[in-house]
Amino acid sequence: LMEALMQSLIIWISVMTGLPPSPPPSVTYMTQPEMFEITQVVGVAAFYDHNTETVVLPKDFDQLKTLDISILVHELVHHLQYRAGLDYECYGAREALAYDTQESYLEAAGLSLSLIIGPLLRMVIVTCRPEGTF
């Protein structure tokens, strides 16, 4: 079921973003403390490891919940960005497309990305800054 979900989301993402489709990544599940240990990001919802082409989702991920699927959409955008070999000016520039696509997915379901991340934090994340500044 997860494989079919990812394949359909990849097609949707490709149509929405123009990123070329690719085979789905691997998926693994971790607890919040395990994800924090790897990413050092407090409250990280999920992440994509381009070295292993693996999406890491929370253990309580529910593929029937729109908010959870939107998190998968975000990480699949990173997978397609990586597979397309795209370079970005900074980490934030890579995140902007993932957040925009996640927001489109949520809006189609009558929801808002602000349920997950506030607009101010989103702006901070997607803004490129000189090295060493925040």
Side-chain angles (χ1 to χ4, degrees):
L1 192 60
M2 183 59 135
E3 183 85 9
L5 173 62
M6 286 197 297
Q7 287 176 341
S8 64
L9 290 173
I10 285 171
I11 292 166
W12 181 83
I13 292 165
S14 183
V15 168
M16 294 297 290
T17 64
L19 290 169
S22 77
S26 300
V27 175
T28 191
Y29 301 89
M30 292 184 181
T31 64
Q32 281 289 326
E34 289 169 331
M35 286 194 280
F36 173 77
E37 197 171 303
I38 293 169
T39 64
Q40 298 298 297
V41 176
V42 175
V44 65
F47 66 92
Y48 176 70
D49 180 345
H50 68 273
N51 294 313
T52 59
E53 294 191 22
T54 301
V55 169
V56 179
L57 295 169
K59 282 203 188 270
D60 64 353
F61 178 84
D62 184 344
Q63 57 193 24
L64 300 177
K65 290 185 177 172
T66 304
L67 283 174
D68 287 12
I69 295 170
S70 80
I71 292 167
L72 176 58
V73 164
H74 182 108
E75 300 310 328
L76 289 174
V77 169
H78 291 317
H79 175 65
L80 296 183
Q81 288 170 320
Y82 173 73
R83 293 294 300 239
L86 300 178
D87 287 322
Y88 291 87
E89 177 186 351
C90 68
Y91 169 83
R94 180 179 301 273
E95 286 296 316
L97 181 61
Y99 280 124
D100 290 347
T101 308
Q102 182 179 7
E103 186 164 47
S104 294
Y105 182 84
L106 286 167
E107 285 176 351
L111 300 171
S112 169
L113 185 59
S114 63
L115 294 168
I116 298 173
I117 182 172
L120 181 60
L121 179 56
R122 178 180 175 179
M123 186 184 73
V124 168
I125 291 171
V126 303
T127 302
C128 292
R129 291 173 295 283
E131 202 62 35
T133 64
F134 187 69

